[in-house]
Amino acid sequence: MALLSACASTPPQATRPAVHPDYAPIQDGDILIPAVDPTLLSEEKVRQEVAYTGPEAANTIVVDPFARRLYYVLGNGRAMRYAVGVGPEGKAFRGNATVGMKRQWPNWTPTQNMIRTQPELYAEYAGGLPGGLENPLGARALYLYRNGRDTYYRIHGTIDNRSIGRASSAGCIRLFNQDIIDLYNRVETGTRVKVRTEAESLSYEGQWVEDADGDIEPAPQLALAG
């Protein structure tokens, strides 16, 4: 049997993709943020500087909850683009706001509605959860205000990297922790935030549809009859 095993061909080992340098582990104070699994990083999900045709001024955050993208406008027709995951609150918010607060490793408290509708998941956290790798707000959070009042809408990191690019069960607008740190370092308190409507999304991004895995991709173009 040993001889037969020795003669058997060994299947080649699958080569694991290398960690993307922008999504490598980060030592953030006392906390080590893990790398993002490279298999989760399609070209659409890697942050990158892109051409931008929207009317917003430089230093504006533009959130598109329908195309699941976030832009930080650089000016001169350019912007940094990030992939986002969108929860129910993220799809409900429209219009303008400002960044009223910025927090590193923020505390998290579930809303009363979350506790009421899913007590088995959220009731134990009614008193709040300190910042850390188990906190659903992730490494950073931007708190959005309107007319000087907290909207309870957040742009934040996440502990669930698989949710990026997908519709998530809870939360507002979430980014990879590596991306929210990059965005956090670019913006100041008072930064303007624009959340697109569905019509605006269609105008600038076109139609997007979900694939079998829950990620989104451009809708297929129907060929015109000749």
Side-chain angles (χ1 to χ4, degrees):
M1 184 65 73
L3 290 174
L4 289 174
S5 297
C7 292
S9 61
T10 302
Q13 296 293 317
T15 302
R16 184 172 178 80
V19 172
H20 191 289
D22 288 341
Y23 297 92
I26 298 176
Q27 187 67 50
D28 192 47
D30 296 333
I31 299 175
L32 178 63
I33 300 171
V36 177
D37 185 339
T39 63
L40 300 177
L41 292 170
S42 63
E43 183 178 356
E44 283 293 331
K45 293 184 181 180
V46 172
R47 76 171 176 266
Q48 54 191 295
E49 184 178 326
V50 297
Y52 186 76
T53 59
E56 292 81 15
N59 304 316
T60 301
I61 295 172
V62 178
V63 179
D64 191 321
F66 302 94
R68 297 177 197 166
R69 290 173 165 179
L70 181 150
Y71 296 93
Y72 178 70
V73 183
L74 302 172
N76 297 319
R78 307 294 293 177
M80 287 298 299
R81 189 185 74 196
Y82 308 81
V84 301
V86 184
E89 293 91 341
K91 284 203 167 183
F93 190 96
R94 299 287 180 277
N96 299 322
T98 58
V99 176
M101 288 196 306
K102 300 170 57 181
R103 291 291 183 268
Q104 302 185 31
W105 296 106
N107 291 343
W108 171 75
T109 303
T111 65
Q112 289 300 312
N113 185 59
M114 294 167 70
I115 295 171
R116 178 179 58 80
T117 57
Q118 294 181 286
E120 71 282 2
L121 294 178
Y122 301 117
E124 65 177 300
Y125 304 116
L129 181 66
L133 289 177
E134 301 303 315
N135 188 305
L137 288 182
R140 304 287 189 275
L142 306 177
Y143 296 68
L144 303 194
Y145 280 58
R146 181 181 282 167
N147 299 323
R149 300 181 63 180
D150 189 359
T151 64
Y152 296 98
Y153 183 89
R154 312 284 185 249
I155 299 172
H156 61 87
T158 184
I159 57 176
D160 182 9
N161 288 333
R162 290 186 179 276
S163 69
I164 300 302
R166 301 182 179 184
S168 51
S169 61
C172 298
I173 294 294
R174 58 175 68 176
L175 294 79
F176 292 119
N177 277 325
Q178 285 82 349
D179 282 348
I180 191 62
I181 290 174
D182 182 86
L183 178 63
Y184 183 98
N185 290 339
R186 294 174 184 272
V187 306
E188 302 292 339
T189 301
T191 294
R192 180 172 178 259
V193 179
K194 161 70 177 179
V195 182
R196 288 175 174 169
T197 64
E198 187 171 9
E200 289 170 329
S201 177
L202 286 170
S203 176
Y204 288 107
E205 307 290 341
Q207 181 71 54
W208 289 72
V209 296
E210 286 193 358
D211 64 17
D213 295 323
D215 288 313
I216 60 169
E217 57 187 16
Q221 299 296 311
L222 298 177
L224 297 177

